[in-house]
PDB file of all heavy atoms in Angstrom:
ATOM      1  N   ARG J 137      68.188 -27.810 -19.438  1.00 96.00           N
ATOM      2  CA  ARG J 137      69.215 -27.428 -20.412  1.00 96.00           C
ATOM      3  C   ARG J 137      70.607 -27.777 -19.882  1.00 96.00           C
ATOM      4  O   ARG J 137      71.456 -28.273 -20.623  1.00 96.00           O
ATOM      5  CB  ARG J 137      69.128 -25.929 -20.698  1.00 96.00           C
ATOM      6  CG  ARG J 137      70.091 -25.452 -21.774  1.00 96.00           C
ATOM      7  CD  ARG J 137      69.836 -24.010 -22.140  1.00 96.00           C
ATOM      8  NE  ARG J 137      70.394 -23.673 -23.435  1.00 96.00           N
ATOM      9  CZ  ARG J 137      70.013 -22.638 -24.174  1.00 96.00           C
ATOM     10  NH1 ARG J 137      69.029 -21.853 -23.732  1.00 96.00           N
ATOM     11  NH2 ARG J 137      70.581 -22.389 -25.325  1.00 96.00           N
ATOM     12  N   ARG J 138      70.838 -27.522 -18.619  1.00 96.00           N
ATOM     13  CA  ARG J 138      72.139 -27.841 -18.032  1.00 96.00           C
ATOM     14  C   ARG J 138      72.417 -29.340 -18.129  1.00 96.00           C
ATOM     15  O   ARG J 138      73.522 -29.761 -18.473  1.00 96.00           O
ATOM     16  CB  ARG J 138      72.206 -27.373 -16.573  1.00 96.00           C
ATOM     17  CG  ARG J 138      72.054 -25.861 -16.400  1.00 96.00           C
ATOM     18  CD  ARG J 138      72.537 -25.400 -15.039  1.00 96.00           C
ATOM     19  NE  ARG J 138      71.885 -26.066 -13.925  1.00 96.00           N
ATOM     20  CZ  ARG J 138      70.776 -25.635 -13.325  1.00 96.00           C
ATOM     21  NH1 ARG J 138      70.181 -24.528 -13.758  1.00 96.00           N
ATOM     22  NH2 ARG J 138      70.270 -26.294 -12.299  1.00 96.00           N
ATOM     23  N   ALA J 139      71.403 -30.136 -17.840  1.00 95.00           N
ATOM     24  CA  ALA J 139      71.579 -31.591 -17.891  1.00 95.00           C
ATOM     25  C   ALA J 139      71.859 -32.076 -19.310  1.00 95.00           C
ATOM     26  O   ALA J 139      72.602 -33.046 -19.512  1.00 95.00           O
ATOM     27  CB  ALA J 139      70.341 -32.284 -17.334  1.00 95.00           C
ATOM     28  N   SER J 140      71.291 -31.397 -20.297  1.00 95.00           N
ATOM     29  CA  SER J 140      71.466 -31.831 -21.692  1.00 95.00           C
ATOM     30  C   SER J 140      72.886 -31.616 -22.195  1.00 95.00           C
ATOM     31  O   SER J 140      73.286 -32.188 -23.216  1.00 95.00           O
ATOM     32  CB  SER J 140      70.489 -31.075 -22.604  1.00 95.00           C
ATOM     33  OG  SER J 140      70.874 -29.707 -22.749  1.00 95.00           O
ATOM     34  N   LEU J 141      73.666 -30.786 -21.492  1.00 96.00           N
ATOM     35  CA  LEU J 141      75.025 -30.465 -21.929  1.00 96.00           C
ATOM     36  C   LEU J 141      76.075 -31.391 -21.338  1.00 96.00           C
ATOM     37  O   LEU J 141      77.241 -31.343 -21.752  1.00 96.00           O
ATOM     38  CB  LEU J 141      75.360 -29.016 -21.562  1.00 96.00           C
ATOM     39  CG  LEU J 141      74.468 -27.929 -22.165  1.00 96.00           C
ATOM     40  CD1 LEU J 141      74.838 -26.564 -21.599  1.00 96.00           C
ATOM     41  CD2 LEU J 141      74.575 -27.917 -23.686  1.00 96.00           C
ATOM     42  N   VAL J 142      75.699 -32.208 -20.371  1.00 96.00           N
ATOM     43  CA  VAL J 142      76.671 -33.058 -19.684  1.00 96.00           C
ATOM     44  C   VAL J 142      77.383 -33.971 -20.686  1.00 96.00           C
ATOM     45  O   VAL J 142      76.754 -34.582 -21.555  1.00 96.00           O
ATOM     46  CB  VAL J 142      75.975 -33.900 -18.595  1.00 96.00           C
ATOM     47  CG1 VAL J 142      76.948 -34.940 -18.022  1.00 96.00           C
ATOM     48  CG2 VAL J 142      75.462 -33.004 -17.476  1.00 96.00           C
ATOM     49  N   PHE J 143      78.716 -34.060 -20.527  1.00 91.00           N
ATOM     50  CA  PHE J 143      79.511 -34.859 -21.452  1.00 91.00           C
ATOM     51  C   PHE J 143      80.718 -35.448 -20.722  1.00 91.00           C
ATOM     52  O   PHE J 143      81.377 -34.735 -19.963  1.00 91.00           O
ATOM     53  CB  PHE J 143      79.997 -34.003 -22.625  1.00 91.00           C
ATOM     54  CG  PHE J 143      80.827 -34.766 -23.624  1.00 91.00           C
ATOM     55  CD1 PHE J 143      80.222 -35.597 -24.544  1.00 91.00           C
ATOM     56  CD2 PHE J 143      82.203 -34.654 -23.622  1.00 91.00           C
ATOM     57  CE1 PHE J 143      80.979 -36.306 -25.457  1.00 91.00           C
ATOM     58  CE2 PHE J 143      82.972 -35.359 -24.538  1.00 91.00           C
ATOM     59  CZ  PHE J 143      82.358 -36.186 -25.457  1.00 91.00           C
ATOM     60  N   PRO J 144      81.042 -36.699 -20.931  1.00 84.00           N
ATOM     61  CA  PRO J 144      80.265 -37.679 -21.695  1.00 84.00           C
ATOM     62  C   PRO J 144      78.943 -37.988 -21.019  1.00 84.00           C
ATOM     63  O   PRO J 144      78.864 -38.046 -19.786  1.00 84.00           O
ATOM     64  CB  PRO J 144      81.170 -38.924 -21.700  1.00 84.00           C
ATOM     65  CG  PRO J 144      82.528 -38.432 -21.364  1.00 84.00           C
ATOM     66  CD  PRO J 144      82.320 -37.266 -20.451  1.00 84.00           C
ATOM     67  N   SER J 145      77.930 -38.186 -21.812  1.00 74.00           N
ATOM     68  CA  SER J 145      76.584 -38.400 -21.292  1.00 74.00           C
ATOM     69  C   SER J 145      76.327 -39.880 -21.044  1.00 74.00           C
ATOM     70  O   SER J 145      76.869 -40.744 -21.741  1.00 74.00           O
ATOM     71  CB  SER J 145      75.553 -37.864 -22.290  1.00 74.00           C
ATOM     72  OG  SER J 145      74.246 -38.181 -21.897  1.00 74.00           O
ATOM     73  N   ASP J 146      75.478 -40.150 -20.045  1.00 67.00           N
ATOM     74  CA  ASP J 146      75.064 -41.535 -19.808  1.00 67.00           C
ATOM     75  C   ASP J 146      74.151 -42.042 -20.918  1.00 67.00           C
ATOM     76  O   ASP J 146      74.025 -43.243 -21.138  1.00 67.00           O
ATOM     77  CB  ASP J 146      74.330 -41.656 -18.465  1.00 67.00           C
ATOM     78  CG  ASP J 146      75.253 -41.402 -17.287  1.00 67.00           C
ATOM     79  OD1 ASP J 146      76.469 -41.617 -17.448  1.00 67.00           O
ATOM     80  OD2 ASP J 146      74.768 -40.979 -16.227  1.00 67.00           O
ATOM     81  N   THR J 147      73.514 -41.081 -21.602  1.00 65.00           N
ATOM     82  CA  THR J 147      72.592 -41.442 -22.686  1.00 65.00           C
ATOM     83  C   THR J 147      73.358 -41.440 -24.010  1.00 65.00           C
ATOM     84  O   THR J 147      73.866 -40.396 -24.425  1.00 65.00           O
ATOM     85  CB  THR J 147      71.427 -40.446 -22.779  1.00 65.00           C
ATOM     86  OG1 THR J 147      70.776 -40.370 -21.510  1.00 65.00           O
ATOM     87  CG2 THR J 147      70.448 -40.867 -23.855  1.00 65.00           C
ATOM     88  N   PRO J 148      73.498 -42.573 -24.657  1.00 66.00           N
ATOM     89  CA  PRO J 148      74.232 -42.599 -25.925  1.00 66.00           C
ATOM     90  C   PRO J 148      73.526 -41.766 -26.987  1.00 66.00           C
ATOM     91  O   PRO J 148      72.299 -41.633 -26.983  1.00 66.00           O
ATOM     92  CB  PRO J 148      74.256 -44.087 -26.295  1.00 66.00           C
ATOM     93  CG  PRO J 148      73.104 -44.689 -25.566  1.00 66.00           C
ATOM     94  CD  PRO J 148      72.940 -43.890 -24.300  1.00 66.00           C
ATOM     95  N   ARG J 149      74.310 -41.176 -27.882  1.00 68.00           N
ATOM     96  CA  ARG J 149      73.720 -40.405 -28.972  1.00 68.00           C
ATOM     97  C   ARG J 149      72.951 -41.339 -29.901  1.00 68.00           C
ATOM     98  O   ARG J 149      73.341 -42.488 -30.129  1.00 68.00           O
ATOM     99  CB  ARG J 149      74.800 -39.674 -29.765  1.00 68.00           C
ATOM    100  CG  ARG J 149      75.614 -38.671 -28.950  1.00 68.00           C
ATOM    101  CD  ARG J 149      76.558 -37.890 -29.832  1.00 68.00           C
ATOM    102  NE  ARG J 149      75.855 -36.868 -30.590  1.00 68.00           N
ATOM    103  CZ  ARG J 149      76.405 -36.169 -31.579  1.00 68.00           C
ATOM    104  NH1 ARG J 149      77.631 -36.414 -31.962  1.00 68.00           N
ATOM    105  NH2 ARG J 149      75.711 -35.248 -32.218  1.00 68.00           N
ATOM    106  N   ALA J 150      71.862 -40.828 -30.414  1.00 66.00           N
ATOM    107  CA  ALA J 150      71.061 -41.637 -31.343  1.00 66.00           C
ATOM    108  C   ALA J 150      71.906 -41.975 -32.565  1.00 66.00           C
ATOM    109  O   ALA J 150      72.694 -41.150 -33.044  1.00 66.00           O
ATOM    110  CB  ALA J 150      69.820 -40.862 -31.759  1.00 66.00           C
ATOM    111  N   PRO J 151      71.775 -43.197 -33.076  1.00 70.00           N
ATOM    112  CA  PRO J 151      72.556 -43.570 -34.268  1.00 70.00           C
ATOM    113  C   PRO J 151      72.191 -42.675 -35.448  1.00 70.00           C
ATOM    114  O   PRO J 151      71.039 -42.280 -35.622  1.00 70.00           O
ATOM    115  CB  PRO J 151      72.158 -45.024 -34.511  1.00 70.00           C
ATOM    116  CG  PRO J 151      70.859 -45.213 -33.790  1.00 70.00           C
ATOM    117  CD  PRO J 151      70.893 -44.283 -32.609  1.00 70.00           C
ATOM    118  N   GLN J 152      73.220 -42.342 -36.228  1.00 75.00           N
ATOM    119  CA  GLN J 152      72.991 -41.481 -37.388  1.00 75.00           C
ATOM    120  C   GLN J 152      72.263 -42.236 -38.489  1.00 75.00           C
ATOM    121  O   GLN J 152      72.553 -43.405 -38.764  1.00 75.00           O
ATOM    122  CB  GLN J 152      74.316 -40.975 -37.943  1.00 75.00           C
ATOM    123  CG  GLN J 152      74.796 -39.672 -37.321  1.00 75.00           C
ATOM    124  CD  GLN J 152      75.939 -39.100 -38.126  1.00 75.00           C
ATOM    125  OE1 GLN J 152      77.036 -39.599 -38.084  1.00 75.00           O
ATOM    126  NE2 GLN J 152      75.664 -38.045 -38.865  1.00 75.00           N
ATOM    127  N   ALA J 153      71.319 -41.548 -39.110  1.00 76.00           N
ATOM    128  CA  ALA J 153      70.674 -42.106 -40.293  1.00 76.00           C
ATOM    129  C   ALA J 153      71.675 -42.083 -41.443  1.00 76.00           C
ATOM    130  O   ALA J 153      72.587 -41.249 -41.479  1.00 76.00           O
ATOM    131  CB  ALA J 153      69.440 -41.291 -40.643  1.00 76.00           C
ATOM    132  N   PRO J 154      71.548 -42.994 -42.372  1.00 80.00           N
ATOM    133  CA  PRO J 154      72.447 -42.967 -43.534  1.00 80.00           C
ATOM    134  C   PRO J 154      72.354 -41.621 -44.248  1.00 80.00           C
ATOM    135  O   PRO J 154      71.286 -40.998 -44.320  1.00 80.00           O
ATOM    136  CB  PRO J 154      71.906 -44.102 -44.417  1.00 80.00           C
ATOM    137  CG  PRO J 154      71.150 -44.998 -43.480  1.00 80.00           C
ATOM    138  CD  PRO J 154      70.583 -44.103 -42.420  1.00 80.00           C
ATOM    139  N   ALA J 155      73.478 -41.166 -44.737  1.00 85.00           N
ATOM    140  CA  ALA J 155      73.504 -39.873 -45.417  1.00 85.00           C
ATOM    141  C   ALA J 155      72.615 -39.896 -46.650  1.00 85.00           C
ATOM    142  O   ALA J 155      72.611 -40.867 -47.416  1.00 85.00           O
ATOM    143  CB  ALA J 155      74.931 -39.526 -45.808  1.00 85.00           C
ATOM    144  N   ASP J 156      71.872 -38.808 -46.841  1.00 87.00           N
ATOM    145  CA  ASP J 156      70.998 -38.676 -48.004  1.00 87.00           C
ATOM    146  C   ASP J 156      71.819 -38.113 -49.163  1.00 87.00           C
ATOM    147  O   ASP J 156      72.274 -36.970 -49.124  1.00 87.00           O
ATOM    148  CB  ASP J 156      69.833 -37.741 -47.666  1.00 87.00           C
ATOM    149  CG  ASP J 156      68.892 -37.539 -48.848  1.00 87.00           C
ATOM    150  OD1 ASP J 156      69.072 -38.223 -49.876  1.00 87.00           O
ATOM    151  OD2 ASP J 156      67.998 -36.674 -48.750  1.00 87.00           O
ATOM    152  N   VAL J 157      72.033 -38.903 -50.177  1.00 88.00           N
ATOM    153  CA  VAL J 157      72.809 -38.454 -51.341  1.00 88.00           C
ATOM    154  C   VAL J 157      71.917 -38.353 -52.577  1.00 88.00           C
ATOM    155  O   VAL J 157      72.410 -38.391 -53.710  1.00 88.00           O
ATOM    156  CB  VAL J 157      74.004 -39.399 -51.605  1.00 88.00           C
ATOM    157  CG1 VAL J 157      75.009 -39.318 -50.480  1.00 88.00           C
ATOM    158  CG2 VAL J 157      73.531 -40.836 -51.801  1.00 88.00           C
ATOM    159  N   SER J 158      70.617 -38.205 -52.341  1.00 86.00           N
ATOM    160  CA  SER J 158      69.683 -38.144 -53.460  1.00 86.00           C
ATOM    161  C   SER J 158      69.755 -36.814 -54.190  1.00 86.00           C
ATOM    162  O   SER J 158      69.357 -36.717 -55.353  1.00 86.00           O
ATOM    163  CB  SER J 158      68.251 -38.401 -52.977  1.00 86.00           C
ATOM    164  OG  SER J 158      67.862 -37.410 -52.031  1.00 86.00           O
ATOM    165  N   THR J 159      70.237 -35.760 -53.515  1.00 92.00           N
ATOM    166  CA  THR J 159      70.367 -34.459 -54.167  1.00 92.00           C
ATOM    167  C   THR J 159      71.799 -34.240 -54.617  1.00 92.00           C
ATOM    168  O   THR J 159      72.744 -34.762 -54.018  1.00 92.00           O
ATOM    169  CB  THR J 159      69.951 -33.322 -53.216  1.00 92.00           C
ATOM    170  OG1 THR J 159      70.743 -33.397 -52.019  1.00 92.00           O
ATOM    171  CG2 THR J 159      68.478 -33.434 -52.856  1.00 92.00           C
ATOM    172  N   ALA J 160      71.961 -33.466 -55.661  1.00 92.00           N
ATOM    173  CA  ALA J 160      73.291 -33.210 -56.214  1.00 92.00           C
ATOM    174  C   ALA J 160      74.117 -32.376 -55.244  1.00 92.00           C
ATOM    175  O   ALA J 160      73.577 -31.637 -54.422  1.00 92.00           O
ATOM    176  CB  ALA J 160      73.151 -32.477 -57.550  1.00 92.00           C
ATOM    177  N   PRO J 161      75.429 -32.477 -55.319  1.00 95.00           N
ATOM    178  CA  PRO J 161      76.271 -31.651 -54.447  1.00 95.00           C
ATOM    179  C   PRO J 161      76.085 -30.175 -54.733  1.00 95.00           C
ATOM    180  O   PRO J 161      75.903 -29.766 -55.885  1.00 95.00           O
ATOM    181  CB  PRO J 161      77.692 -32.108 -54.794  1.00 95.00           C
ATOM    182  CG  PRO J 161      77.594 -32.764 -56.126  1.00 95.00           C
ATOM    183  CD  PRO J 161      76.226 -33.354 -56.190  1.00 95.00           C
ATOM    184  N   THR J 162      76.129 -29.402 -53.671  1.00 95.00           N
ATOM    185  CA  THR J 162      76.049 -27.948 -53.813  1.00 95.00           C
ATOM    186  C   THR J 162      77.413 -27.398 -54.217  1.00 95.00           C
ATOM    187  O   THR J 162      78.416 -28.114 -54.234  1.00 95.00           O
ATOM    188  CB  THR J 162      75.612 -27.300 -52.500  1.00 95.00           C
ATOM    189  OG1 THR J 162      76.650 -27.520 -51.516  1.00 95.00           O
ATOM    190  CG2 THR J 162      74.298 -27.875 -52.001  1.00 95.00           C
ATOM    191  N   GLU J 163      77.434 -26.099 -54.488  1.00 95.00           N
ATOM    192  CA  GLU J 163      78.693 -25.454 -54.844  1.00 95.00           C
ATOM    193  C   GLU J 163      79.728 -25.621 -53.734  1.00 95.00           C
ATOM    194  O   GLU J 163      80.895 -25.943 -53.984  1.00 95.00           O
ATOM    195  CB  GLU J 163      78.445 -23.966 -55.113  1.00 95.00           C
ATOM    196  CG  GLU J 163      79.694 -23.184 -55.459  1.00 95.00           C
ATOM    197  CD  GLU J 163      79.387 -21.712 -55.671  1.00 95.00           C
ATOM    198  OE1 GLU J 163      78.989 -21.034 -54.693  1.00 95.00           O
ATOM    199  OE2 GLU J 163      79.550 -21.235 -56.806  1.00 95.00           O
ATOM    200  N   GLN J 164      79.301 -25.424 -52.496  1.00 96.00           N
ATOM    201  CA  GLN J 164      80.244 -25.511 -51.386  1.00 96.00           C
ATOM    202  C   GLN J 164      80.692 -26.960 -51.158  1.00 96.00           C
ATOM    203  O   GLN J 164      81.861 -27.212 -50.846  1.00 96.00           O
ATOM    204  CB  GLN J 164      79.634 -24.939 -50.110  1.00 96.00           C
ATOM    205  CG  GLN J 164      80.650 -24.770 -48.991  1.00 96.00           C
ATOM    206  CD  GLN J 164      80.203 -23.850 -47.889  1.00 96.00           C
ATOM    207  OE1 GLN J 164      81.018 -23.178 -47.266  1.00 96.00           O
ATOM    208  NE2 GLN J 164      78.913 -23.805 -47.617  1.00 96.00           N
ATOM    209  N   GLU J 165      79.789 -27.901 -51.325  1.00 97.00           N
ATOM    210  CA  GLU J 165      80.184 -29.303 -51.189  1.00 97.00           C
ATOM    211  C   GLU J 165      81.181 -29.698 -52.270  1.00 97.00           C
ATOM    212  O   GLU J 165      82.137 -30.429 -52.006  1.00 97.00           O
ATOM    213  CB  GLU J 165      78.952 -30.201 -51.237  1.00 97.00           C
ATOM    214  CG  GLU J 165      78.097 -30.118 -49.969  1.00 97.00           C
ATOM    215  CD  GLU J 165      76.840 -30.959 -50.061  1.00 97.00           C
ATOM    216  OE1 GLU J 165      76.222 -30.998 -51.152  1.00 97.00           O
ATOM    217  OE2 GLU J 165      76.472 -31.564 -49.039  1.00 97.00           O
ATOM    218  N   GLN J 166      80.970 -29.225 -53.495  1.00 97.00           N
ATOM    219  CA  GLN J 166      81.923 -29.530 -54.558  1.00 97.00           C
ATOM    220  C   GLN J 166      83.290 -28.935 -54.229  1.00 97.00           C
ATOM    221  O   GLN J 166      84.324 -29.563 -54.457  1.00 97.00           O
ATOM    222  CB  GLN J 166      81.412 -29.004 -55.900  1.00 97.00           C
ATOM    223  CG  GLN J 166      82.350 -29.305 -57.069  1.00 97.00           C
ATOM    224  CD  GLN J 166      81.668 -29.189 -58.422  1.00 97.00           C
ATOM    225  OE1 GLN J 166      80.695 -29.874 -58.702  1.00 97.00           O
ATOM    226  NE2 GLN J 166      82.193 -28.306 -59.260  1.00 97.00           N
ATOM    227  N   LEU J 167      83.295 -27.725 -53.673  1.00 98.00           N
ATOM    228  CA  LEU J 167      84.547 -27.090 -53.250  1.00 98.00           C
ATOM    229  C   LEU J 167      85.265 -27.956 -52.218  1.00 98.00           C
ATOM    230  O   LEU J 167      86.479 -28.203 -52.327  1.00 98.00           O
ATOM    231  CB  LEU J 167      84.247 -25.714 -52.655  1.00 98.00           C
ATOM    232  CG  LEU J 167      85.392 -25.027 -51.917  1.00 98.00           C
ATOM    233  CD1 LEU J 167      86.437 -24.523 -52.909  1.00 98.00           C
ATOM    234  CD2 LEU J 167      84.883 -23.883 -51.045  1.00 98.00           C
TER     235      LEU J 167
END
């Protein structure tokens, strides 16, 4: 756990998947 917190990490973060916009915006997202 201690090793997983190191920053900046030698291990690059996994690339983000494209945002899923298949569902309608929620009330809070619309806000």
